[in-house]
Amino acid sequence: MRKLLVAVTSVLAITVSTGTAAGAPLPCPEIFATNNTAIITDPGDPRLQDKLVKFDREVRGIVFANGGLTTRSTLLDGVFWSGDLQQTTFERSRKFDVTLGEESLRHTASTISKQFRQESVLTFRFLAANSPKVDAVQVEFDGITAQQVRDGLLKDAVAREKLGGGSVTLQNKAILIADVNDLPTVRAFVGNLGGDMSKAKVRKGAWEFVSAEETPLWNKQNAA
Protein backbone atom coordinates (compact mmCIF):
# COMPACT_ATOMS: atom_id res chain seq x y z
CA MET A 1 0.00 0.00 0.00
CA ARG A 2 1.24 3.45 -0.78
CA LYS A 3 2.49 5.79 1.83
CA LEU A 4 -0.41 6.51 3.96
CA LEU A 5 -1.90 9.02 5.69
CA VAL A 6 -2.26 12.65 6.41
CA ALA A 7 -2.34 15.54 8.74
CA VAL A 8 -3.72 18.84 9.51
CA THR A 9 -3.42 22.46 10.66
CA SER A 10 -5.02 24.83 13.03
CA VAL A 11 -4.79 28.57 13.01
CA LEU A 12 -5.05 28.73 16.78
CA ALA A 13 -2.95 26.87 19.30
CA ILE A 14 -5.12 23.89 20.18
CA THR A 15 -4.52 21.37 22.93
CA VAL A 16 -5.48 17.78 22.10
CA SER A 17 -5.23 14.63 24.15
CA THR A 18 -2.60 12.20 22.91
CA GLY A 19 -1.55 8.71 23.80
CA THR A 20 -3.28 6.34 26.19
CA ALA A 21 -3.60 6.83 29.93
CA ALA A 22 -1.27 4.76 32.09
CA GLY A 23 -2.85 1.42 32.92
CA ALA A 24 -5.60 1.73 30.31
CA PRO A 25 -5.81 -1.13 27.79
CA LEU A 26 -4.37 -0.27 24.39
CA PRO A 27 -6.46 -0.70 21.23
CA CYS A 28 -5.55 -3.57 18.93
CA PRO A 29 -2.77 -3.03 16.37
CA GLU A 30 -4.00 -2.07 12.91
CA ILE A 31 -3.12 -3.07 9.35
CA PHE A 32 -4.04 -0.75 6.46
CA ALA A 33 -4.08 -2.65 3.18
CA THR A 34 -5.58 -2.90 -0.30
CA ASN A 35 -5.52 -5.23 -3.28
CA ASN A 36 -5.52 -2.33 -5.74
CA THR A 37 -2.57 -1.91 -8.10
CA ALA A 38 -4.15 0.57 -10.53
CA ILE A 39 -3.98 4.35 -10.72
CA ILE A 40 -7.55 5.62 -10.34
CA THR A 41 -8.09 9.35 -10.87
CA ASP A 42 -11.87 9.41 -11.48
CA PRO A 43 -13.85 9.50 -8.20
CA GLY A 44 -16.75 7.94 -10.11
CA ASP A 45 -14.75 4.88 -11.17
CA PRO A 46 -16.85 1.73 -10.48
CA ARG A 47 -13.83 0.04 -8.87
CA LEU A 48 -14.26 2.45 -5.97
CA GLN A 49 -17.59 0.76 -5.14
CA ASP A 50 -15.90 -2.58 -4.43
CA LYS A 51 -16.63 -3.66 -0.85
CA LEU A 52 -13.50 -5.86 -0.85
CA VAL A 53 -15.43 -8.80 0.63
CA LYS A 54 -13.11 -11.47 -0.81
CA PHE A 55 -10.06 -9.41 0.15
CA ASP A 56 -11.42 -9.11 3.68
CA ARG A 57 -11.81 -12.88 3.95
CA GLU A 58 -8.34 -13.55 2.54
CA VAL A 59 -6.61 -11.10 4.88
CA ARG A 60 -8.44 -12.56 7.89
CA GLY A 61 -7.04 -15.93 6.85
CA ILE A 62 -3.50 -14.55 6.69
CA VAL A 63 -3.89 -12.99 10.15
CA PHE A 64 -5.15 -16.31 11.53
CA ALA A 65 -2.27 -18.21 9.89
CA ASN A 66 0.14 -15.91 11.73
CA GLY A 67 -1.44 -16.64 15.10
CA GLY A 68 -3.92 -13.77 15.44
CA LEU A 69 -7.56 -12.84 15.01
CA THR A 70 -9.20 -9.92 13.25
CA THR A 71 -11.45 -8.15 15.75
CA ARG A 72 -12.75 -5.61 13.23
CA SER A 73 -12.42 -4.78 9.53
CA THR A 74 -13.31 -1.29 8.28
CA LEU A 75 -13.87 -0.38 4.62
CA LEU A 76 -12.06 2.81 3.63
CA ASP A 77 -11.87 5.27 0.74
CA GLY A 78 -8.24 6.24 0.33
CA VAL A 79 -6.50 9.08 -1.48
CA PHE A 80 -2.76 8.88 -2.01
CA TRP A 81 -0.14 11.05 -3.64
CA SER A 82 2.53 9.60 -5.92
CA GLY A 83 5.65 11.74 -6.07
CA ASP A 84 6.94 9.67 -9.01
CA LEU A 85 3.75 10.14 -11.04
CA GLN A 86 3.00 13.60 -9.65
CA GLN A 87 -0.69 12.80 -9.23
CA THR A 88 -3.21 11.51 -6.74
CA THR A 89 -4.98 8.18 -6.91
CA PHE A 90 -8.18 6.94 -5.29
CA GLU A 91 -8.51 3.40 -3.98
CA ARG A 92 -10.67 1.23 -1.78
CA SER A 93 -8.85 -0.30 1.17
CA ARG A 94 -9.51 -1.84 4.56
CA LYS A 95 -8.28 -1.30 8.09
CA PHE A 96 -7.89 -4.54 10.04
CA ASP A 97 -7.80 -4.47 13.86
CA VAL A 98 -5.82 -7.56 14.85
CA THR A 99 -4.54 -9.46 17.89
CA LEU A 100 -0.88 -9.77 16.87
CA GLY A 101 2.42 -9.04 18.57
CA GLU A 102 5.01 -6.78 16.96
CA GLU A 103 6.88 -9.48 15.03
CA SER A 104 3.76 -11.36 13.96
CA LEU A 105 2.24 -8.07 12.84
CA ARG A 106 5.27 -7.39 10.64
CA HIS A 107 5.24 -10.88 9.12
CA THR A 108 1.51 -10.65 8.46
CA ALA A 109 1.86 -7.31 6.71
CA SER A 110 4.74 -8.70 4.64
CA THR A 111 2.58 -11.63 3.52
CA ILE A 112 -0.26 -9.30 2.54
CA SER A 113 2.18 -7.11 0.62
CA LYS A 114 3.51 -10.08 -1.33
CA GLN A 115 0.19 -11.79 -1.99
CA PHE A 116 -1.52 -8.65 -3.28
CA ARG A 117 1.51 -7.16 -5.07
CA GLN A 118 1.75 -4.07 -2.89
CA GLU A 119 4.88 -1.95 -2.57
CA SER A 120 4.29 -1.93 1.19
CA VAL A 121 1.57 -2.34 3.82
CA LEU A 122 1.11 0.11 6.68
CA THR A 123 0.86 -1.06 10.28
CA PHE A 124 0.13 1.02 13.38
CA ARG A 125 0.60 -0.10 16.99
CA PHE A 126 -0.95 2.03 19.74
CA LEU A 127 1.45 2.86 22.56
CA ALA A 128 1.39 4.74 25.83
CA ALA A 129 2.12 8.42 25.22
CA ASN A 130 5.38 8.23 27.15
CA SER A 131 6.69 5.10 25.43
CA PRO A 132 10.19 5.52 23.94
CA LYS A 133 8.97 3.57 20.89
CA VAL A 134 6.46 6.26 19.88
CA ASP A 135 7.26 7.57 16.41
CA ALA A 136 3.82 8.33 14.93
CA VAL A 137 0.40 9.78 15.61
CA GLN A 138 -3.04 8.71 14.45
CA VAL A 139 -5.63 11.44 14.04
CA GLU A 140 -9.36 10.75 13.57
CA PHE A 141 -11.95 13.42 12.90
CA ASP A 142 -15.47 13.53 11.46
CA GLY A 143 -17.10 15.33 8.56
CA ILE A 144 -14.48 14.95 5.81
CA THR A 145 -14.87 13.18 2.45
CA ALA A 146 -12.21 11.50 0.32
CA GLN A 147 -12.72 14.20 -2.32
CA GLN A 148 -11.92 16.88 0.27
CA VAL A 149 -8.73 15.03 1.17
CA ARG A 150 -7.76 14.90 -2.51
CA ASP A 151 -8.47 18.60 -3.01
CA GLY A 152 -6.49 19.42 0.13
CA LEU A 153 -3.47 17.43 -1.02
CA LEU A 154 -3.48 19.11 -4.42
CA LYS A 155 -3.41 22.52 -2.74
CA ASP A 156 -0.85 21.71 -0.04
CA ALA A 157 2.63 20.72 -1.23
CA VAL A 158 3.90 20.24 2.33
CA ALA A 159 1.11 17.79 3.18
CA ARG A 160 1.70 15.93 -0.07
CA GLU A 161 5.38 15.50 0.72
CA LYS A 162 5.16 14.68 4.42
CA LEU A 163 1.84 12.85 4.67
CA GLY A 164 1.31 11.19 1.34
CA GLY A 165 -2.44 10.71 1.62
CA GLY A 166 -5.36 9.86 3.85
CA SER A 167 -8.19 7.39 4.42
CA VAL A 168 -11.86 8.05 5.10
CA THR A 169 -14.53 5.67 6.38
CA LEU A 170 -17.92 5.39 4.68
CA GLN A 171 -19.24 7.53 7.56
CA ASN A 172 -16.86 10.37 6.55
CA LYS A 173 -14.44 9.88 9.42
CA ALA A 174 -10.89 10.66 8.34
CA ILE A 175 -8.10 8.44 9.67
CA LEU A 176 -4.72 10.10 9.30
CA ILE A 177 -1.33 8.76 10.30
CA ALA A 178 1.86 10.78 10.32
CA ASP A 179 5.31 10.99 11.85
CA VAL A 180 5.00 12.26 15.42
CA ASN A 181 7.13 15.28 14.47
CA ASP A 182 4.67 16.18 11.72
CA LEU A 183 1.71 16.74 14.04
CA PRO A 184 1.82 20.53 13.31
CA THR A 185 1.44 19.68 9.61
CA VAL A 186 -1.49 17.45 10.47
CA ARG A 187 -3.12 20.23 12.46
CA ALA A 188 -2.65 22.60 9.54
CA PHE A 189 -4.06 20.17 7.00
CA VAL A 190 -7.13 19.41 9.11
CA GLY A 191 -7.77 23.09 9.60
CA ASN A 192 -7.45 23.76 5.88
CA LEU A 193 -10.00 21.04 5.18
CA GLY A 194 -12.45 22.69 7.55
CA GLY A 195 -12.04 20.07 10.25
CA ASP A 196 -12.22 20.81 13.97
CA MET A 197 -8.98 19.67 15.57
CA SER A 198 -10.35 20.33 19.05
CA LYS A 199 -12.78 17.44 18.46
CA ALA A 200 -10.24 15.13 16.86
CA LYS A 201 -9.01 11.95 18.52
CA VAL A 202 -5.20 11.98 18.56
CA ARG A 203 -3.30 8.91 19.75
CA LYS A 204 0.38 8.00 19.72
CA GLY A 205 1.99 4.81 18.52
CA ALA A 206 4.50 3.24 16.17
CA TRP A 207 4.05 2.89 12.41
CA GLU A 208 5.83 0.83 9.82
CA PHE A 209 5.61 0.40 6.05
CA VAL A 210 6.27 -3.30 5.57
CA SER A 211 7.40 -4.69 2.21
CA ALA A 212 7.22 -8.25 0.90
CA GLU A 213 10.90 -8.85 1.69
CA GLU A 214 10.16 -10.34 5.10
CA THR A 215 9.64 -14.12 5.25
CA PRO A 216 6.13 -14.83 6.58
CA LEU A 217 6.15 -16.23 10.12
CA TRP A 218 3.99 -19.23 9.24
CA ASN A 219 6.42 -20.17 6.41
CA LYS A 220 9.30 -20.09 8.91
CA GLN A 221 7.36 -22.36 11.23
CA ASN A 222 6.51 -24.80 8.46
CA ALA A 223 10.14 -24.89 7.36
CA ALA A 224 11.39 -25.70 10.87
Side-chain angles (χ1 to χ4, degrees), residues 205-218:
W207 65 342
E208 184 174 3
F209 290 94
V210 183
S211 71
E213 296 175 358
E214 291 277 351
T215 301
L217 181 61
W218 58 273

PDB file of all heavy atoms in Angstrom, residues 205-218:
ATOM      1  N   GLY A 205       1.652   6.208  18.748  1.00  0.00           N
ATOM      2  CA  GLY A 205       1.987   4.812  18.524  1.00  0.00           C
ATOM      3  C   GLY A 205       3.225   4.679  17.670  1.00  0.00           C
ATOM      4  O   GLY A 205       4.031   5.607  17.568  1.00  0.00           O
ATOM      5  N   ALA A 206       3.362   3.508  17.053  1.00  0.00           N
ATOM      6  CA  ALA A 206       4.498   3.237  16.165  1.00  0.00           C
ATOM      7  C   ALA A 206       3.951   2.757  14.836  1.00  0.00           C
ATOM      8  O   ALA A 206       3.049   1.917  14.793  1.00  0.00           O
ATOM      9  CB  ALA A 206       5.409   2.178  16.778  1.00  0.00           C
ATOM     10  N   TRP A 207       4.497   3.302  13.738  1.00  0.00           N
ATOM     11  CA  TRP A 207       4.049   2.890  12.413  1.00  0.00           C
ATOM     12  C   TRP A 207       5.191   2.244  11.656  1.00  0.00           C
ATOM     13  O   TRP A 207       6.354   2.412  11.983  1.00  0.00           O
ATOM     14  CB  TRP A 207       3.465   4.075  11.639  1.00  0.00           C
ATOM     15  CG  TRP A 207       4.445   5.196  11.285  1.00  0.00           C
ATOM     16  CD1 TRP A 207       5.673   5.447  11.840  1.00  0.00           C
ATOM     17  CD2 TRP A 207       4.245   6.206  10.307  1.00  0.00           C
ATOM     18  NE1 TRP A 207       6.233   6.570  11.265  1.00  0.00           N
ATOM     19  CE2 TRP A 207       5.382   7.053  10.310  1.00  0.00           C
ATOM     20  CE3 TRP A 207       3.208   6.492   9.421  1.00  0.00           C
ATOM     21  CZ2 TRP A 207       5.513   8.156   9.478  1.00  0.00           C
ATOM     22  CZ3 TRP A 207       3.339   7.599   8.578  1.00  0.00           C
ATOM     23  CH2 TRP A 207       4.483   8.411   8.614  1.00  0.00           C
ATOM     24  N   GLU A 208       4.818   1.472  10.644  1.00  0.00           N
ATOM     25  CA  GLU A 208       5.834   0.826   9.817  1.00  0.00           C
ATOM     26  C   GLU A 208       5.232   0.519   8.455  1.00  0.00           C
ATOM     27  O   GLU A 208       4.087   0.050   8.354  1.00  0.00           O
ATOM     28  CB  GLU A 208       6.327  -0.463  10.469  1.00  0.00           C
ATOM     29  CG  GLU A 208       7.459  -1.130   9.715  1.00  0.00           C
ATOM     30  CD  GLU A 208       8.040  -2.340  10.434  1.00  0.00           C
ATOM     31  OE1 GLU A 208       7.516  -2.700  11.509  1.00  0.00           O
ATOM     32  OE2 GLU A 208       9.000  -2.927   9.905  1.00  0.00           O
ATOM     33  N   PHE A 209       5.990   0.809   7.400  1.00  0.00           N
ATOM     34  CA  PHE A 209       5.613   0.402   6.053  1.00  0.00           C
ATOM     35  C   PHE A 209       6.378  -0.884   5.758  1.00  0.00           C
ATOM     36  O   PHE A 209       7.598  -0.870   5.637  1.00  0.00           O
ATOM     37  CB  PHE A 209       5.956   1.496   5.039  1.00  0.00           C
ATOM     38  CG  PHE A 209       5.093   2.715   5.176  1.00  0.00           C
ATOM     39  CD1 PHE A 209       5.513   3.797   5.939  1.00  0.00           C
ATOM     40  CD2 PHE A 209       3.850   2.775   4.577  1.00  0.00           C
ATOM     41  CE1 PHE A 209       4.717   4.920   6.082  1.00  0.00           C
ATOM     42  CE2 PHE A 209       3.044   3.895   4.718  1.00  0.00           C
ATOM     43  CZ  PHE A 209       3.470   4.963   5.461  1.00  0.00           C
ATOM     44  N   VAL A 210       5.650  -1.990   5.676  1.00  0.00           N
ATOM     45  CA  VAL A 210       6.265  -3.302   5.566  1.00  0.00           C
ATOM     46  C   VAL A 210       6.196  -3.794   4.120  1.00  0.00           C
ATOM     47  O   VAL A 210       5.118  -3.845   3.523  1.00  0.00           O
ATOM     48  CB  VAL A 210       5.563  -4.322   6.484  1.00  0.00           C
ATOM     49  CG1 VAL A 210       6.268  -5.673   6.426  1.00  0.00           C
ATOM     50  CG2 VAL A 210       5.512  -3.803   7.921  1.00  0.00           C
ATOM     51  N   SER A 211       7.339  -4.170   3.580  1.00  0.00           N
ATOM     52  CA  SER A 211       7.398  -4.687   2.210  1.00  0.00           C
ATOM     53  C   SER A 211       7.308  -6.204   2.222  1.00  0.00           C
ATOM     54  O   SER A 211       7.247  -6.838   3.280  1.00  0.00           O
ATOM     55  CB  SER A 211       8.697  -4.248   1.539  1.00  0.00           C
ATOM     56  OG  SER A 211       9.792  -4.943   2.114  1.00  0.00           O
ATOM     57  N   ALA A 212       7.337  -6.797   1.029  1.00  0.00           N
ATOM     58  CA  ALA A 212       7.223  -8.251   0.904  1.00  0.00           C
ATOM     59  C   ALA A 212       8.544  -8.960   1.134  1.00  0.00           C
ATOM     60  O   ALA A 212       8.632 -10.170   0.982  1.00  0.00           O
ATOM     61  CB  ALA A 212       6.688  -8.604  -0.483  1.00  0.00           C
ATOM     62  N   GLU A 213       9.585  -8.235   1.530  1.00  0.00           N
ATOM     63  CA  GLU A 213      10.900  -8.851   1.686  1.00  0.00           C
ATOM     64  C   GLU A 213      10.980  -9.763   2.899  1.00  0.00           C
ATOM     65  O   GLU A 213      11.789 -10.685   2.947  1.00  0.00           O
ATOM     66  CB  GLU A 213      11.967  -7.763   1.805  1.00  0.00           C
ATOM     67  CG  GLU A 213      12.097  -6.916   0.543  1.00  0.00           C
ATOM     68  CD  GLU A 213      13.074  -5.784   0.720  1.00  0.00           C
ATOM     69  OE1 GLU A 213      13.615  -5.646   1.832  1.00  0.00           O
ATOM     70  OE2 GLU A 213      13.290  -5.039  -0.252  1.00  0.00           O
ATOM     71  N   GLU A 214      10.140  -9.506   3.903  1.00  0.00           N
ATOM     72  CA  GLU A 214      10.161 -10.337   5.097  1.00  0.00           C
ATOM     73  C   GLU A 214       9.612 -11.740   4.786  1.00  0.00           C
ATOM     74  O   GLU A 214       8.677 -11.882   4.003  1.00  0.00           O
ATOM     75  CB  GLU A 214       9.284  -9.717   6.198  1.00  0.00           C
ATOM     76  CG  GLU A 214       9.843  -8.430   6.766  1.00  0.00           C
ATOM     77  CD  GLU A 214      10.882  -8.691   7.832  1.00  0.00           C
ATOM     78  OE1 GLU A 214      11.023  -9.862   8.222  1.00  0.00           O
ATOM     79  OE2 GLU A 214      11.530  -7.735   8.257  1.00  0.00           O
ATOM     80  N   THR A 215      10.176 -12.766   5.392  1.00  0.00           N
ATOM     81  CA  THR A 215       9.638 -14.115   5.253  1.00  0.00           C
ATOM     82  C   THR A 215       8.461 -14.276   6.212  1.00  0.00           C
ATOM     83  O   THR A 215       8.603 -14.029   7.401  1.00  0.00           O
ATOM     84  CB  THR A 215      10.698 -15.177   5.607  1.00  0.00           C
ATOM     85  OG1 THR A 215      11.820 -14.997   4.737  1.00  0.00           O
ATOM     86  CG2 THR A 215      10.134 -16.588   5.421  1.00  0.00           C
ATOM     87  N   PRO A 216       7.282 -14.681   5.703  1.00  0.00           N
ATOM     88  CA  PRO A 216       6.125 -14.827   6.585  1.00  0.00           C
ATOM     89  C   PRO A 216       6.407 -15.785   7.742  1.00  0.00           C
ATOM     90  O   PRO A 216       7.082 -16.803   7.562  1.00  0.00           O
ATOM     91  CB  PRO A 216       5.051 -15.403   5.647  1.00  0.00           C
ATOM     92  CG  PRO A 216       5.459 -14.971   4.277  1.00  0.00           C
ATOM     93  CD  PRO A 216       6.970 -14.981   4.310  1.00  0.00           C
ATOM     94  N   LEU A 217       5.891 -15.447   8.920  1.00  0.00           N
ATOM     95  CA  LEU A 217       6.145 -16.235  10.124  1.00  0.00           C
ATOM     96  C   LEU A 217       5.686 -17.679   9.951  1.00  0.00           C
ATOM     97  O   LEU A 217       6.374 -18.613  10.330  1.00  0.00           O
ATOM     98  CB  LEU A 217       5.429 -15.593  11.322  1.00  0.00           C
ATOM     99  CG  LEU A 217       5.607 -16.288  12.671  1.00  0.00           C
ATOM    100  CD1 LEU A 217       7.076 -16.297  13.065  1.00  0.00           C
ATOM    101  CD2 LEU A 217       4.782 -15.574  13.731  1.00  0.00           C
ATOM    102  N   TRP A 218       4.509 -17.876   9.344  1.00  0.00           N
ATOM    103  CA  TRP A 218       3.993 -19.228   9.236  1.00  0.00           C
ATOM    104  C   TRP A 218       4.854 -20.063   8.272  1.00  0.00           C
ATOM    105  O   TRP A 218       4.964 -21.268   8.415  1.00  0.00           O
ATOM    106  CB  TRP A 218       2.543 -19.234   8.809  1.00  0.00           C
ATOM    107  CG  TRP A 218       2.230 -18.552   7.510  1.00  0.00           C
ATOM    108  CD1 TRP A 218       1.953 -17.235   7.320  1.00  0.00           C
ATOM    109  CD2 TRP A 218       2.175 -19.156   6.214  1.00  0.00           C
ATOM    110  NE1 TRP A 218       1.720 -16.972   5.982  1.00  0.00           N
ATOM    111  CE2 TRP A 218       1.862 -18.128   5.291  1.00  0.00           C
ATOM    112  CE3 TRP A 218       2.381 -20.441   5.741  1.00  0.00           C
ATOM    113  CZ2 TRP A 218       1.729 -18.365   3.927  1.00  0.00           C
ATOM    114  CZ3 TRP A 218       2.237 -20.679   4.378  1.00  0.00           C
ATOM    115  CH2 TRP A 218       1.922 -19.652   3.499  1.00  0.00           C
TER     116      TRP A 218
END
